[in-house]
Amino acid sequence: DRLLDDPGYGERWARFWLDLVRFAETNGYERDTAKPYAWRYRDYLIRAFNDDVPYPQLVKEAIAGDLLPSPRLKNGLNESAIGIAQLRMVLHGFSPVDSLDEMVTFTDNQIDTVTKAFQALTVSCARCHNHKYDPIPQTDYYRLRAFFEPLELRHDRVPGSPDPGPYKKY
């Protein structure tokens, strides 16, 4: 009980989850610019593990936390809305030459990260062909793409976040 009550418990176990969703505080490409408010997601996970939030709830928050009819609130903060920040933890360029290609790559990275983390499968190879060893057809990949591509990933929707100014998706 002493170890479970220790705040270090959440820090230790959140580390594994952060690795799965490719957590980074920078974009990690070309100029390696900072990801504003990435720390909010890290701290959210630590709180979730320390509060013993069930795995199904974490998955819901990771995919659609901002849309939950009964969000998980803590100290006036919408914890569920912070959960979707994991969708921003993907590689993208600073000033792409081809913005359409950048959007395709960004969305493909989201699909790859989410399916590897929550299904333990890579679905991204179904972008070009039906999966060879698992029953994942191209149609499933493009269904996922239809879900992820129109998402607007903003950090100004979490109560308590400062106004980030105009939003740019890419």
Side-chain angles (χ1 to χ4, degrees):
D1 287 340
R2 179 184 59 80
L3 293 174
L4 291 174
D5 291 336
D6 188 322
Y9 172 82
E11 294 171 8
R12 176 170 172 76
W13 290 104
R15 180 71 255 163
F16 294 105
W17 188 290
L18 292 169
D19 287 344
L20 287 174
V21 298
R22 301 177 183 175
F23 175 81
E25 294 189 12
T26 65
N27 288 322
Y29 188 70
E30 292 177 351
R31 297 185 186 161
D32 201 27
T33 55
K35 284 184 180 168
Y37 312 112
W39 59 271
R40 285 186 184 273
Y41 181 71
R42 180 198 62 222
D43 292 355
Y44 149 84
L45 274 181
I46 292 169
R47 286 190 302 272
F49 278 99
N50 282 333
D51 293 344
D52 202 25
V53 174
Y55 176 76
Q57 179 69 23
L58 285 176
V59 173
K60 286 178 193 174
E61 292 176 359
I63 305 298
D66 60 334
L67 302 175
L68 294 178
S70 300
R72 191 168 53 87
L73 304 173
K74 184 173 182 175
N75 299 327
L77 187 64
N78 184 343
E79 294 280 351
S80 297
I82 300 172
I84 62 166
Q86 64 94 21
L87 295 174
R88 291 192 64 121
M89 303 299 162
V90 296
L91 178 74
H92 61 90
F94 180 71
S95 51
V97 176
D98 184 346
S99 59
L100 180 59
D101 181 60
E102 176 70 8
M103 181 198 61
V104 168
T105 301
F106 187 84
T107 306
D108 187 57
N109 277 310
Q110 287 176 322
I111 293 168
D112 191 43
T113 301
V114 167
T115 57
K116 282 180 179 176
F118 300 118
Q119 295 180 309
L121 288 170
T122 180
V123 175
S124 287
C125 59
R127 175 180 171 186
C128 302
H129 54 81
N130 290 335
H131 206 276
K132 287 183 176 183
Y133 303 107
D134 296 307
I136 303 169
Q138 274 185 295
T139 53
D140 284 352
Y141 172 86
Y142 285 98
R143 286 179 181 132
L144 285 168
R145 183 168 201 83
F147 172 80
F148 285 109
E149 196 166 284
L151 296 180
E152 286 187 18
L153 302 174
R154 302 169 62 134
H155 52 268
D156 62 336
R157 294 195 181 172
V158 178
S161 293
D163 180 12
Y167 171 71
K168 289 185 178 179
K169 187 169 182 182
Y170 302 105

